[in-house]
Amino acid sequence: NAGVTQTPKFQVLKTGQSMTLQCAQDMNHEYMSWYRQDPGMGLRLIHYSVGAGITDQGEVPNGYNVSRSTTEDFPLRLLSAAPSQTSVYFCASSYRQGQGEAFFGQGTRLTVV
Amino acid sequence: GQQLNQSPQSMFIQEGEDVSMNCTSSSIFNTWLWYKQDPGEGPVLLIALYKAGELTSNGRLTAQFGITRKDSFLNISASIPSDVGIYFCAGRRGNYKLTFGKGTLLTVNP
């Protein structure tokens, strides 16, 4: 049982490049979410999904897209990376609404130069 | 947007001491959660609170959901070196979205 798996763990991008951060969970969780963590800012919600085919915006969605074609996967796309998107990104999942983000991935450290 | 004020920002304590940290908000929350994050890792859920006044323990950790629904605290008793890390509170107001505090950095001196 792998839990929540994020790839890659580290990534350096040039401004304007695009990439996809991968997130997969093998616990059949309905709810998945993406956060970014910046020094002194705590964790801020980017996008979330309450089930396959359903996504919604969080607190800081600009510059990011998501999709949820399967229960297991919830990729985060940066269409045109900017230095302001340098951060550590965490994917999280939980079984159902109201349970809290029970499981976080290990994070992806992204640097945009 | 909603804000959680988490304090203290950092703590330096001796092994064996008890620790207390708290989160307050101007808004009412229906759920309070406490997480711990080790360096290079994702946050790990420690305690979840779902009812006002609820007091829940997890080993040496105890957390309470404030009666006013606007605050929560976390206590760690008899601290040990592996308690070192960043502790986050998080609150939910009934939808899926969590609001996180900025964290308390705990250092334990052996």
Side-chain angles (χ1 to χ4, degrees):
Chain A
N1 189 341
V4 178
T5 302
Q6 288 184 239
T7 56
K9 291 187 177 180
F10 301 93
Q11 182 71 49
V12 179
L13 289 179
K14 294 182 179 179
T15 297
Q17 284 186 316
S18 63
M19 81 159 295
T20 299
L21 308 186
Q22 302 291 344
C23 176
Q25 52 90 10
D26 60 359
M27 298 171 283
N28 200 32
H29 284 174
E30 295 177 349
Y31 180 57
M32 297 184 73
S33 53
W34 276 101
Y35 291 86
R36 60 177 289 172
Q37 184 176 33
D38 302 294
M41 298 293 291
L43 289 103
R44 293 182 292 170
L45 182 65
I46 304 172
H47 284 285
Y48 66 97
S49 169
V50 302
I54 306 170
T55 63
D56 205 348
Q57 296 182 348
E59 180 184 356
V60 287
N62 292 339
Y64 308 95
N65 284 344
V66 292
S67 60
R68 185 94 179 269
S69 58
T70 67
T71 299
E72 293 78 18
D73 300 298
F74 190 44
L76 178 71
R77 298 186 186 85
L78 285 71
L79 297 179
S80 179
S84 61
Q85 293 179 305
T86 294
S87 188
V88 181
Y89 291 85
F90 288 101
C91 178
S93 76
S94 62
Y95 181 64
R96 60 181 182 271
Q97 179 184 4
Q99 190 179 47
E101 271 74 329
F103 297 92
F104 276 81
Q106 287 193 311
T108 295
R109 183 174 295 275
L110 176 67
T111 302
V112 183
V113 298
Chain B
Q2 303 161 27
Q3 287 191 335
L4 289 183
N5 300 310
Q6 185 170 352
S7 64
Q9 284 186 320
S10 62
M11 303 181 73
F12 298 86
I13 62 171
Q14 294 296 126
E15 183 177 358
E17 290 183 352
D18 297 342
V19 173
S20 183
M21 59 191 79
N22 68 85
C23 273
T24 61
S25 174
S26 58
S27 302
I28 290 174
F29 288 96
N30 295 327
T31 301
W32 283 97
L33 306 168
W34 286 92
Y35 293 85
K36 183 192 177 196
Q37 185 178 28
D38 292 326
E41 302 288 332
V44 173
L45 182 63
L46 298 173
I47 293 178
L49 303 160
Y50 299 107
K51 296 179 181 179
E54 181 179 356
L55 183 71
T56 297
S57 294
N58 178 6
R60 294 178 296 105
L61 279 62
T62 301
Q64 184 158 27
F65 192 141
I67 293 292
T68 65
R69 295 183 147 189
K70 295 181 178 180
D71 60 350
S72 178
F73 72 76
L74 175 71
N75 285 344
I76 305 173
S77 63
S79 60
I80 59 178
S82 62
D83 290 334
V84 166
I86 303 176
Y87 291 80
F88 290 100
C89 65
R92 173 178 287 121
R93 294 186 66 195
N95 57 17
Y96 291 96
K97 302 177 185 179
L98 282 182
T99 300
F100 279 82
K102 295 184 178 181
T104 295
L105 174 61
L106 178 63
T107 302
V108 180
N109 296 317

